Amino acid sequence: MMKRGSWQRFNSLTSRERELLALLLAGRVNKQMAADLERSEDAVKAHRGQITRKMRAKSLIDLV
């Protein structure tokens, strides 16, 4: 269960970042997510960086 601060951080994500987070948590890799979202891998990497910063996660494990 998420703590209050975690919910606030999650709510700060854009719809694209939430979509990417769902794919990330489903185990998709950058290349697959880029294909799924019809974006470049660089765009996916940038969004992953934003998600990590906004969620204050140090790793994928922290996001999960």
Side-chain angles (χ1 to χ4, degrees), residues 3 7 11-12 14 23-24 32 34-36 39-40 42 44 48-51 53-54 58 60 62-64:
K3 296 179 184 177
W7 276 115
N11 286 332
S12 74
T14 65
L23 292 171
L24 183 62
Q32 292 169 323
D36 290 344
R39 300 283 183 246
S40 70
D42 288 339
V44 167
R48 280 186 71 162
Q50 281 296 100
I51 292 167
R53 279 188 288 285
K54 286 181 178 181
K58 296 177 183 170
L60 177 60
D62 286 344
L63 285 173
V64 175

Side-chain angles (χ1 to χ4, degrees), residues 3-64:
K3 296 179 184 177
R4 174 180 258 173
S6 297
W7 276 115
Q8 290 172 336
R9 289 190 296 272
F10 178 79
N11 286 332
S12 74
L13 299 177
T14 65
S15 59
R16 175 65 72 191
E17 290 166 346
R18 289 180 190 181
E19 186 176 13
L20 191 102
L21 179 59
L23 292 171
L24 183 62
L25 295 177
R28 307 289 280 174
V29 295
N30 289 347
K31 192 172 195 171
Q32 292 169 323
M33 289 186 286
D36 290 344
L37 300 173
E38 297 179 351
R39 300 283 183 246
S40 70
E41 276 189 75
D42 288 339
V44 167
K45 289 176 186 177
H47 283 300
R48 280 186 71 162
Q50 281 296 100
I51 292 167
T52 301
R53 279 188 288 285
K54 286 181 178 181
M55 294 299 291
R56 298 182 192 157
K58 296 177 183 170
S59 67
L60 177 60
I61 303 283
D62 286 344
L63 285 173
V64 175

